[in-house]
Amino acid sequence: MFSGLKDSAAIISGAGGGMGTASALRLAREGCRVFAVDIHPGSLEKLEERFRQENLGGLTTHVCDAIHEHEVEEAVERCVRTYGKVDILVNIAGIYTDCLLKDMSYAEWRRTMDINVDSVMFFCRAVLSGMLENRHGKIINMASQAGVSGSVTHAHYSASKAAIIGLSRSLAREVAECDINVNCIAPGIIRTPMTARYTPEQVAGFLGKIPMGRFGEADDVAKVIEFLASDGSDYLTGQVFNVTGGWLMVS
């Protein structure tokens, strides 16, 4: 059992997706109150059903398009009205598309940056005043192996995830003296509906590069989020945790 999570309040963006749902469930099982944000109402309804199935309380859902700053601010304000504070911010919301840079439109580039980077900045900035006042907070931002090592046909996605790493490390330095921890997780290939489109040849190629011999599960990432949200990570900040099954072995 992780300490420091009971009666805390966590905002999770992209909470209706696989990693968001796994993370919300893990935090709630430890007594954390979850404010789940997603752009898709149907995904939030499914999350609510999962909570009911496990008889878990402490869930509030909120529909928000995180590329709009005022909607992010409204979400954070509602979380504070509901739970009295924000102790933990988990930024998972993002998109992933395939396109060679030579064929990429500026609109596709811009959309990726808006969703993957601007939304993270909006949420971080919106929770900071409360965390600074309380002199406590955990911010966990979702990067990617692609943001560390690059990825063919994903220049826009890789650039957005590299930007999240730079943003997180800079923010970690800004707020460290106030006991606010800012860290990143860089997943490799996680088993999701998106990876279900891979051909058998692609799967074999990827698995050949992963020393552990399997794709990750959403809960593999959620376990790291749970740790980073807990008191166990109190002396960790500005770090990138590579959850790749050994594919990416860099510091």
Side-chain angles (χ1 to χ4, degrees), residues 81-134:
R81 289 196 305 270
T82 303
Y83 297 140
K85 57 181 179 175
V86 179
D87 300 296
I88 302 158
L89 170 64
V90 185
N91 280 305
I92 300 178
I95 60 169
Y96 174 90
T97 60
D98 303 316
C99 188
L100 290 169
L101 187 62
K102 69 180 182 66
D103 301 322
M104 190 179 301
S105 68
Y106 178 69
E108 185 169 4
W109 172 276
R110 187 67 263 161
R111 180 170 177 264
T112 299
M113 294 299 167
D114 287 346
I115 296 173
N116 290 4
V117 183
D118 288 5
S119 67
V120 172
M121 186 273 287
F122 290 153
F123 267 110
C124 287
R125 192 168 61 182
V127 303
L128 274 178
S129 60
M131 288 185 175
L132 289 168
E133 183 178 347
N134 295 332

Side-chain angles (χ1 to χ4, degrees), residues 12-228:
I12 303 177
S13 77
M19 289 187 288
T21 295
S23 301
L25 290 168
R26 277 199 164 267
L27 294 182
R29 290 172 191 141
E30 298 294 335
C32 180
R33 295 168 294 174
V34 175
F35 190 87
V37 177
D38 203 283
I39 194 173
H40 302 294
S43 297
L44 292 175
E45 291 170 3
K46 291 178 181 178
L47 177 62
E48 291 170 344
E49 178 58 28
R50 288 293 305 276
F51 268 63
R52 285 192 292 270
Q53 289 171 358
E54 293 199 22
N55 294 315
L56 290 170
L59 174 68
T60 300
T61 59
H62 183 88
V63 177
C64 169
D65 186 347
I67 68 171
H68 299 300
E69 184 176 11
H70 71 278
E71 292 195 31
V72 171
E73 291 173 345
E74 289 170 1
V76 173
E77 289 168 2
R78 185 182 172 206
C79 180
V80 173
R81 289 196 305 270
T82 303
Y83 297 140
K85 57 181 179 175
V86 179
D87 300 296
I88 302 158
L89 170 64
V90 185
N91 280 305
I92 300 178
I95 60 169
Y96 174 90
T97 60
D98 303 316
C99 188
L100 290 169
L101 187 62
K102 69 180 182 66
D103 301 322
M104 190 179 301
S105 68
Y106 178 69
E108 185 169 4
W109 172 276
R110 187 67 263 161
R111 180 170 177 264
T112 299
M113 294 299 167
D114 287 346
I115 296 173
N116 290 4
V117 183
D118 288 5
S119 67
V120 172
M121 186 273 287
F122 290 153
F123 267 110
C124 287
R125 192 168 61 182
V127 303
L128 274 178
S129 60
M131 288 185 175
L132 289 168
E133 183 178 347
N134 295 332
R135 298 188 67 84
H136 171 75
K138 306 281 187 176
I139 296 175
I140 305 156
N141 294 327
M142 196 61 60
S144 169
Q145 173 179 314
V148 179
S149 62
S151 179
V152 175
T153 72
H154 305 123
H156 49 340
Y157 179 77
S158 298
S160 71
K161 294 303 184 176
I164 289 172
I165 293 171
L167 183 158
S168 300
R169 285 179 163 160
S170 297
L171 181 57
R173 292 182 180 274
E174 289 184 17
V175 299
E177 65 180 9
C178 293
D179 290 329
I180 299 170
N181 307 79
V182 186
N183 290 292
C184 284
I185 299 174
I189 298 179
I190 306 301
R191 193 182 304 278
T192 64
M194 182 172 59
T195 60
R197 69 188 182 185
Y198 293 154
T199 66
E201 292 76 19
Q202 287 176 309
V203 169
F206 289 134
L207 290 178
K209 298 176 183 178
I210 302 172
M212 293 188 73
R214 68 173 178 87
F215 288 174
E217 303 293 340
D219 198 52
D220 290 318
V221 178
K223 291 172 186 175
V224 182
I225 289 174
E226 182 181 16
F227 164 67
L228 291 175

